Amino acid sequence: MHDQVVNFTYNTPTKVLFGKDAINGLPSEMAPYGKRVLLVYGGGSIKKTGLYDTVKTLLKDFELFELSGVEPNPRITSVREGGRICREQKIDMVLAVGGGSVLDCAKVICDAPFYDGDPWDLVIDSSKITKALPLFTVLTLAATGSEYDSAAVITNLETNEKIGVLNPLNYPKVSVLDPTYTLTVSKKQTAAGSADIMSHIFEQYFVDGSCMVTEGLCESVLRSVIKFAKIAYDNGNDYTARANLMWSSSLACNGICQMGSEYGAWVCHAIEHELSAYYDITHGEGLALLTPVLMRYTLNDKSVKRYAYFANRVFGIELNDDLYVTAKAGIEALEQFFASIGLPKTLRDVGIDSKEKFDAMAEHACKCFPLDKAFVPLTPAQVREILDLAF
């Protein structure tokens, strides 16, 4: 924590249409880009809710092609198929309707037609992304923030890799954020999505230095999620709770909450990506069970002040003269909050019953993320210890 502001460049070119019936503005936003649209969605829940029919009706003047069945932890195989359709059908733009997995998949699909090789190359090296189809999104789950950022995370089950892609060409042109589309989200996904939002903030808040402005943004989003996640978990039909979670999701991962602060190493995401790559668990659940373990493991003379201020400003815990007392109370409060919305506490709770992959996972996490430069630096051996403690 300090009063200096780190230099930065900031640009979010995505136009957001927020609120009930915001989708009605979508056709006019898409019209300038052509007529041939690839509609990308997941397991079919948008058909059960009626959103699929709404989209088809609104886009009656467009020619629609479809890619369905995009998986949680979206696969490179789906990206390949989407890219193939875009090439063969001369697609003008992509419309992703769903949660973060669908949106992430659609982003790399937009890149694929302009690259002659395997789209996995674009995931490994995003500098190979030179052009992208226009992307439009309709969000149905508050979690990843993909609707308002240029990032995507793609999984390759053949290589046990889950890798993030970051390229400014992958910002959506327009994102529709209608909280009513999240009213039917299950308790499990509401909780996991809320943990994902909070984790995005933690990765930007637990850093070497942050300016007062972004500290306040981070703390506000965290307090909002803690308040409204429990309300939405208990009563999924609460529009106000869903709206607050949806906007929190968008703000948590589009960069604004780190501007002026030091950049973090995204430690928890580094470790969780390994869990999802090897075991295909729900991303938010993995983050929730890892976070308290990671915080306790990294609590030291360097981190104690930040963790204590988190406890005070987010959970309202009184600052003790011994900051370690306050910090530990904050970690406990976070753990209790996660438990209150049904999130798992251990790796065994999500079906991981063996430690045999942990060494390989720890090595790969440190290879893909600069964990040696984290707020509290970590080695592969220490990441392995964190996985053991989470078991």
Side-chain angles (χ1 to χ4, degrees):
M1 294 172 284
H2 55 58
D3 294 329
Q4 295 179 344
V5 180
V6 176
N7 291 1
F8 63 88
T9 299
Y10 183 70
N11 178 36
T12 300
T14 301
K15 184 175 183 178
V16 170
L17 308 181
F18 191 100
K20 294 178 181 178
D21 301 320
I23 198 170
N24 292 334
L26 194 57
S28 62
E29 298 288 350
M30 294 173 63
Y33 294 91
K35 291 291 185 183
R36 298 171 73 82
V37 180
L38 176 62
L39 173 62
V40 180
Y41 57 99
S45 62
I46 66 168
K47 292 185 176 180
K48 297 174 186 175
T49 62
L51 179 53
Y52 175 84
D53 291 334
T54 298
V55 170
K56 295 272 283 189
T57 300
L58 281 171
L59 301 186
K60 63 184 185 301
D61 294 330
F62 294 79
E63 191 172 357
L64 292 184
F65 301 83
E66 296 187 17
L67 175 68
S68 62
V70 173
E71 313 84 357
N73 299 316
R75 315 277 198 269
I76 189 60
T77 48
S78 293
V79 173
R80 290 170 181 149
E81 177 62 11
R84 182 192 65 78
I85 296 171
C86 288
R87 278 198 199 88
E88 292 182 359
Q89 301 299 335
K90 296 180 171 57
I91 295 297
D92 296 318
M93 73 199 86
V94 175
L95 173 61
V97 182
S101 295
V102 172
L103 274 57
D104 281 10
C105 185
K107 287 177 180 179
V108 189
I109 286 173
C110 288
D111 305 327
F114 305 104
Y115 180 71
D116 291 334
D118 184 358
W120 185 244
D121 297 342
L122 305 177
V123 178
I124 295 172
D125 181 5
S126 63
S127 70
K128 294 180 183 294
I129 300 171
T130 58
K131 189 176 180 182
L133 290 170
L135 174 65
F136 297 81
T137 80
V138 179
L139 188 64
T140 63
L141 176 65
T144 69
S146 297
E147 67 280 1
Y148 204 36
D149 69 20
S150 61
V153 180
I154 305 296
T155 298
N156 188 334
L157 294 181
E158 297 170 5
T159 60
N160 292 124
E161 290 180 291
K162 179 177 179 178
I163 297 177
V165 189
L166 191 66
N167 190 290
L169 292 172
N170 286 348
Y171 276 106
K173 296 294 184 184
V174 176
S175 286
V176 173
L177 276 59
D178 184 340
T180 62
Y181 298 150
T182 65
L183 296 178
T184 57
V185 172
S186 69
K187 286 180 179 290
K188 173 186 169 76
Q189 291 299 333
T190 297
S194 298
D196 196 4
I197 298 168
M198 293 178 70
S199 187
H200 292 156
I201 293 295
F202 291 148
E203 305 285 22
Q204 299 165 93
Y205 185 70
F206 297 135
V207 295
D208 277 324
S210 61
C211 70
M212 189 172 183
V213 174
T214 45
E215 278 180 20
L217 288 173
C218 288
E219 291 156 1
S220 176
V221 172
L222 289 172
R223 288 194 300 269
S224 296
V225 175
I226 289 166
K227 175 178 179 178
F228 292 107
K230 187 66 170 72
I231 294 172
Y233 184 82
D234 292 337
N235 176 16
N237 289 317
D238 190 301
Y239 177 88
T240 299
R242 295 295 191 183
N244 276 276
L245 288 177
M246 182 169 272
W247 191 225
S248 293
S249 165
S250 297
L251 292 179
C253 203
N254 82 327
I256 197 168
C257 287
Q258 75 181 33
M259 294 299 104
S261 298
E262 301 284 354
Y263 190 77
W266 287 66
V267 177
C268 198
H269 276 70
I271 302 172
E272 200 292 319
H273 282 188
E274 299 303 313
L275 295 176
S276 291
Y278 277 90
Y279 300 103
D280 200 26
I281 68 171
T282 300
H283 178 55
E285 291 188 338
L287 294 170
L289 67 88
L290 284 171
T291 300
V293 175
L294 177 64
M295 290 179 71
R296 287 194 180 100
Y297 187 88
T298 56
L299 178 58
N300 60 20
D301 288 349
K302 179 182 180 182
S303 64
V304 64
K305 188 174 181 181
R306 170 61 81 191
Y307 288 171
Y309 274 65
F310 158 74
N312 173 251
R313 295 172 180 174
V314 174
F315 282 105
I317 296 168
E318 186 174 352
L319 284 173
N320 191 287
D321 289 339
D322 182 349
L323 291 183
Y324 277 91
V325 172
T326 309
K328 290 175 182 177
I331 298 169
E332 178 66 26
L334 178 64
E335 197 167 55
Q336 290 177 359
F337 166 72
F338 284 154
S340 76
I341 54 174
L343 287 163
K345 187 175 180 178
T346 70
L347 292 174
R348 294 187 302 279
D349 292 340
V350 293
I352 298 174
D353 58 5
S354 169
K355 299 182 179 182
E356 65 175 301
K357 308 291 187 183
F358 284 7
D359 283 335
M361 292 162 64
E363 289 286 346
H364 195 259
C366 292
K367 176 183 175 183
C368 293
F369 287 77
L371 302 194
D372 59 328
K373 297 178 175 63
F375 180 41
V376 177
L378 296 173
T379 64
Q382 291 173 312
V383 173
R384 166 66 203 245
E385 290 180 9
I386 290 167
L387 288 167
D388 286 336
L389 289 169
F391 190 75

